[in-house]
Amino acid sequence: MSGSLGYVETQRVVLATPDDPLRFRAGGRLDHVEVAYETYGRLNEARDNAVFVTHALTGTAHAAGLHLGAKKRGWWDTMIGPGKPVDTDRFFVISPNILGGCSGTTGPLSIDPATGRAYCLDFPMLHMSDLVAVHRRLLAHLGIERLYAGVGGSLGGMQILQWVIDDPAAIERAVLVAASSQLTTENIALSTVAREAIMNDPDFVNGRYVEQGVFPWRGQKVARMMAHINYVSGQALEEKFGRRRRSAGDAWELGPDFEVEHYLQHQGNTFLDRFDALSYLYLTRLLDYFDPFAEPATAQALGSTTTRFQVTSFDSDWRFDTGQSKRLVERLEGLGVDVDFAELHSTQGHDSFLLEPAGYHERVAAFLA
Amino acid sequence: MSGSLGYVETQRVVLATPDDPLRFRAGGRLDHVEVAYETYGRLNEARDNAVFVTHALTGTAHAAGLHLGAKKRGWWDTMIGPGKPVDTDRFFVISPNILGGCSGTTGPLSIDPATGRAYCLDFPMLHMSDLVAVHRRLLAHLGIERLYAGVGGSLGGMQILQWVIDDPAAIERAVLVAASSQLTTENIALSTVAREAIMNDPDFVNGRYVEQGVFPWRGQKVARMMAHINYVSGQALEEKFGRRRRSAGDAWELGPDFEVEHYLQHQGNTFLDRFDALSYLYLTRLLDYFDPFAEPATAQALGSTTTRFQVTSFDSDWRFDTGQSKRLVERLEGLGVDVDFAELHSTQGHDSFLLEPAGYHERVAAFLA
């Protein structure tokens, strides 16, 4: 029997200080890094039942359960809970907000203690290893040496991959869903248009919008509308909205009329409340540059790991399509890594990893069992 | 032997006047419509060798040959010329700029004689039939009753389809390349994001930007960058740019670095010089609403036509994919219309119709022979 978690709370911890700063792979350092995270379930005495969950581009630490007073459950509540694939009756689950994010963990809008002003564009460029370095500090803070599993979808899966590369002994089982080891040229192309929309918004003011009391809402809205199309499948849009309109007959207009247009307006507008433009720039850029198999140290690290991988793609995903998962699997297998790969059927595109297409939860549950 | 046309000139003609206004299908009228067009080759005595070429979203009347002093030949110079598929030794070719465009034919930035100001958002909403009505007036002006052929790619092909519906006896052969009879929900979704980028640009000023001496350049650039990705294939981008960067190693930046980003910047910027934002809004919207088989008159019109159709799609086109051509072909065949359909292989996406993938020109030439 599976149930749901009850009330949960986000916690915070300081994981970098002037005495122990966080140094970034592509240059720069932070003397103060705070991390927001949640935990579900209990750590056993052997401290060997920890499962680390890493979120995707715009996620938060709130992966499961309910915040007091909230109506909506955590973003992966279908996956995490008592009796669910990431079973909180069995596992101690750790879910932080990622470095560079805007939901409690230090990011571009955080205050630089050296200046008393927000970092904005002075925030260091992010490498996947920088995110992993913070995860590792969090794990150490919790007194855990080795993870039973690391689980992530999309950018979340890419953090788990980098973690195995950076510390090949840290993770027993790695679950990567709808991920990639290298963005395609088209991925980068779509990503750069989203950033262009944000950075050319007059209210971006060179990244110092917070201090000016403005926000690049127009650009951020366009970026999200575009990205949202990229996350869902054409078939899903077709089935959900077809060509239904709000106007009738020849009462045509330039502004939103088809239902899919109103839907995208809604997606764009609600995104403004929950995400920051600078975090969007930094995190999409991190994805563009991510290319671990181009780094010399990767082969050696993966050649020595005992981590078992499970890689899953969805056939309607055109954000990170099956071809990208297959390339990742080939690279891993070429280095002798144990990989269980499957492409699952789903009509829901990239967002499938957040949903429950047939066979998906069973597959993750079996791998973690 | 095929050669190229020499110097050509754009001509202009007034095709609607207060005594003979153009009435729009979705409401509204224009008392003055001017059309820019070019012709190539000679009309024979029987007046039965005319081929009408209709352009795509951002095209112009200048389809072939060279303007005096210009470096670039017309946009379909590979297709039109002596000995080419649309053979100017044999055919009299007519190529106008479409209604609502911004290259000589009346559009939203034209001056409304009633007010002395540009129409801007007071320009009537466009139906495909309105474009065809102007084409038909141009044909009558040239003293031609019936076309040997109508030839168009993308939106161009859709004009030819509508023309057969509106006047089933007018066209002997209809050549439709990379076209559609009904945009998908995803097509509309991408289209609405482009319009959002333009209309939410602060310099759009409710469409009256010309009078304010500003232009919604930021939004228009984003719209074009996005559309451009839609016009090319992921494979073509991959082959052309891969992950090549201008910076080296860990010298990362948020702004353009990968070659594909610089390429899109260039595409976005050059588009600003050659196209108008209001025309972009009106013409993309015309496409969204285009749905001739949903109109009762269509079945009757097509049931009686003797027009022979040739429909061609390209396997890497994700703007108007083969599925859309197939649906169109099924609809036509269901009404007893003679259709020759083929999907051709090309790695170049939607833009293939402007290029020369294997078998394409031969196919069009054979159909017109």
Side-chain angles (χ1 to χ4, degrees):
Chain A
M1 280 292 293
S2 70
S4 287
L5 285 169
Y7 289 113
V8 298
E9 273 183 20
T10 304
Q11 302 172 65
R12 282 173 193 242
V13 58
V14 173
L15 294 176
T17 60
D19 291 339
D20 182 23
L22 185 72
R23 296 181 194 282
F24 286 67
R25 275 278 292 264
R29 57 180 256 185
L30 293 183
D31 286 342
H32 180 85
V33 174
E34 209 170 319
V35 171
Y37 69 101
E38 299 193 355
T39 66
Y40 321 116
R42 278 165 177 263
L43 186 61
N44 63 15
E45 273 189 37
R47 295 181 171 266
D48 65 1
N49 71 329
V51 174
F52 206 100
V53 170
T54 43
H55 68 69
L57 192 59
T58 64
T60 68
H62 184 38
L66 205 54
H67 282 175
L68 202 62
K71 286 179 190 161
K72 249 181 120 173
R73 307 186 67 86
W75 58 269
W76 222 2
D77 196 76
T78 53
M79 182 65 88
I80 304 163
K84 293 181 180 174
V86 179
D87 188 348
T88 51
D89 286 341
R90 230 189 113 196
F91 300 124
F92 176 63
V93 181
I94 307 152
S95 166
N97 181 219
I98 59 177
L99 181 67
C102 49
S103 303
T105 294
T106 298
L109 285 196
S110 300
I111 299 298
D112 179 355
T115 64
R117 299 169 67 195
Y119 293 102
C120 302
L121 291 177
D122 295 328
F123 198 79
M125 290 297 296
L126 292 167
H127 186 288
M128 201 68 72
S129 281
D130 304 321
L131 275 60
V132 169
V134 176
H135 294 334
R136 292 169 72 185
R137 287 182 183 219
L138 176 59
L139 207 63
H141 163 76
L142 294 170
I144 298 167
E145 274 194 12
R146 185 171 153 85
L147 289 169
Y148 180 82
V151 181
S154 194
L155 167 58
M158 293 146 93
Q159 293 166 56
I160 302 297
L161 172 61
Q162 186 70 56
W163 197 333
V164 177
I165 293 167
D166 292 348
D167 187 357
I171 304 180
E172 210 173 312
R173 290 166 177 81
V175 177
L176 276 58
V177 190
S180 174
S181 62
Q182 186 195 66
L183 266 61
T184 64
T185 315
E186 186 176 85
N187 288 152
I188 297 171
L190 289 162
S191 177
T192 204
V193 181
R195 283 191 300 269
E196 173 72 22
I198 290 171
M199 294 174 84
N200 86 12
D201 186 319
D203 287 339
F204 183 67
V205 284
N206 201 28
R208 293 261 157 220
Y209 49 86
V210 170
E211 293 169 7
Q212 312 283 329
V214 293
F215 288 89
W217 277 328
R218 297 180 189 90
Q220 193 179 338
K221 180 181 173 189
V222 167
R224 183 60 179 186
M225 289 172 76
M226 189 174 52
H228 192 83
I229 299 172
N230 202 209
Y231 297 157
V232 296
S233 72
Q235 189 188 336
L237 288 176
E238 199 83 47
E239 286 168 2
K240 198 165 177 182
F241 303 106
R243 291 178 56 87
R244 287 201 314 281
R245 291 160 48 193
R246 295 207 178 162
S247 76
D250 286 347
W252 292 358
E253 41 194 304
L254 287 176
D257 181 12
F258 291 88
E259 288 296 344
V260 68
E261 301 185 273
H262 289 286
Y263 170 73
L264 286 176
Q265 287 286 329
H266 174 76
Q267 292 294 332
N269 285 325
T270 54
F271 184 61
L272 305 178
D273 296 331
R274 72 177 180 85
F275 213 73
D276 166 58
L278 279 164
S279 283
Y280 199 80
L281 296 182
Y282 274 89
L283 292 174
T284 58
R285 202 47 162 167
L286 157 82
L287 283 166
D288 293 348
Y289 281 114
F290 183 60
D291 194 8
F293 291 102
E295 298 185 7
T298 297
Q300 201 187 342
L302 289 177
S304 73
T305 189
T306 55
T307 304
R308 290 167 47 208
F309 281 77
Q310 183 188 64
V311 175
T312 306
S313 69
F314 301 100
D315 58 2
S316 58
D317 184 352
W318 67 280
R319 164 70 164 149
F320 296 144
D321 62 30
T322 292
Q324 302 200 46
S325 280
K326 279 190 174 157
R327 184 175 50 199
L328 163 61
V329 169
E330 273 166 31
R331 296 300 188 102
L332 289 171
E333 287 180 340
L335 295 168
V337 178
D338 183 347
V339 190
D340 161 27
F341 167 68
E343 176 190 63
L344 298 182
H345 173 61
S346 163
T347 60
Q348 303 298 314
H350 186 61
D351 276 351
S352 299
F353 81 92
L354 296 167
L355 308 172
E356 297 172 78
Y360 171 41
H361 278 195
E362 295 82 338
R363 178 172 160 74
V364 174
F367 188 72
L368 294 180
Chain B
M1 281 291 292
S2 70
S4 286
L5 284 169
Y7 289 113
V8 298
E9 273 183 19
T10 304
Q11 301 174 65
R12 280 173 194 243
V13 59
V14 173
L15 293 175
T17 59
D19 291 339
D20 182 22
L22 185 72
R23 296 181 194 280
F24 285 68
R25 275 279 292 266
R29 56 180 257 185
L30 293 184
D31 286 342
H32 181 84
V33 173
E34 211 170 317
V35 171
Y37 69 101
E38 299 192 358
T39 67
Y40 321 117
R42 280 165 176 262
L43 187 61
N44 64 14
E45 273 190 35
R47 297 183 170 267
D48 64 2
N49 71 330
V51 174
F52 206 100
V53 170
T54 43
H55 68 68
L57 191 61
T58 65
T60 68
H62 184 37
L66 206 54
H67 283 175
L68 203 60
K71 286 180 192 162
K72 249 182 121 174
R73 307 187 67 85
W75 57 269
W76 223 1
D77 196 76
T78 53
M79 181 65 88
I80 304 163
K84 292 180 179 174
V86 179
D87 188 349
T88 51
D89 286 341
R90 233 189 111 196
F91 301 124
F92 176 63
V93 181
I94 308 152
S95 167
N97 181 220
I98 59 177
L99 182 68
C102 49
S103 303
T105 293
T106 297
L109 285 196
S110 300
I111 300 298
D112 179 354
T115 64
R117 300 170 66 195
Y119 292 102
C120 302
L121 290 176
D122 294 328
F123 198 77
M125 291 297 296
L126 292 166
H127 186 288
M128 202 67 74
S129 280
D130 303 321
L131 274 59
V132 169
V134 175
H135 294 333
R136 292 169 72 185
R137 286 182 183 220
L138 176 59
L139 206 63
H141 163 76
L142 295 170
I144 297 167
E145 274 194 10
R146 185 171 154 83
L147 289 169
Y148 180 81
V151 181
S154 194
L155 168 58
M158 293 146 93
Q159 294 166 56
I160 302 297
L161 172 61
Q162 185 71 54
W163 196 335
V164 178
I165 293 166
D166 292 348
D167 186 357
I171 303 180
E172 212 172 310
R173 290 166 177 79
V175 177
L176 278 57
V177 190
S180 174
S181 62
Q182 187 195 67
L183 266 61
T184 63
T185 315
E186 186 177 84
N187 288 151
I188 297 171
L190 289 162
S191 178
T192 203
V193 180
R195 284 192 299 272
E196 173 71 22
I198 291 170
M199 294 173 83
N200 87 11
D201 186 318
D203 287 339
F204 184 67
V205 283
N206 202 28
R208 292 262 156 219
Y209 49 86
V210 170
E211 293 169 6
Q212 311 283 331
V214 292
F215 289 89
W217 278 328
R218 295 180 191 90
Q220 192 178 338
K221 180 181 173 188
V222 167
R224 183 60 179 188
M225 290 172 77
M226 188 173 53
H228 191 83
I229 299 172
N230 203 209
Y231 297 157
V232 296
S233 71
Q235 190 187 336
L237 287 176
E238 199 83 47
E239 285 167 5
K240 199 165 177 182
F241 304 107
R243 291 177 57 87
R244 287 201 315 282
R245 291 159 48 191
R246 297 205 179 164
S247 77
D250 285 348
W252 293 358
E253 40 195 305
L254 287 176
D257 181 12
F258 291 88
E259 289 295 345
V260 68
E261 302 184 273
H262 289 285
Y263 169 73
L264 287 176
Q265 287 286 330
H266 175 76
Q267 292 294 333
N269 285 325
T270 54
F271 184 61
L272 305 178
D273 296 330
R274 70 176 182 86
F275 213 74
D276 166 59
L278 279 164
S279 282
Y280 199 80
L281 297 180
Y282 275 89
L283 292 174
T284 57
R285 201 48 162 166
L286 156 82
L287 283 166
D288 293 348
Y289 281 115
F290 183 60
D291 194 9
F293 291 101
E295 296 185 8
T298 297
Q300 201 186 342
L302 288 176
S304 73
T305 190
T306 57
T307 304
R308 290 167 48 209
F309 280 79
Q310 183 188 64
V311 175
T312 306
S313 70
F314 300 100
D315 58 2
S316 57
D317 184 352
W318 67 280
R319 164 70 165 149
F320 295 145
D321 62 30
T322 292
Q324 301 200 47
S325 280
K326 279 191 174 158
R327 184 175 49 201
L328 162 60
V329 168
E330 273 167 30
R331 296 298 188 104
L332 288 172
E333 287 180 340
L335 295 168
V337 177
D338 183 346
V339 190
D340 162 27
F341 166 69
E343 176 190 62
L344 298 182
H345 173 61
S346 164
T347 59
Q348 303 298 315
H350 186 61
D351 276 352
S352 300
F353 81 92
L354 296 167
L355 307 172
E356 297 172 77
Y360 171 41
H361 279 195
E362 296 82 339
R363 179 173 160 74
V364 173
F367 188 71
L368 294 179

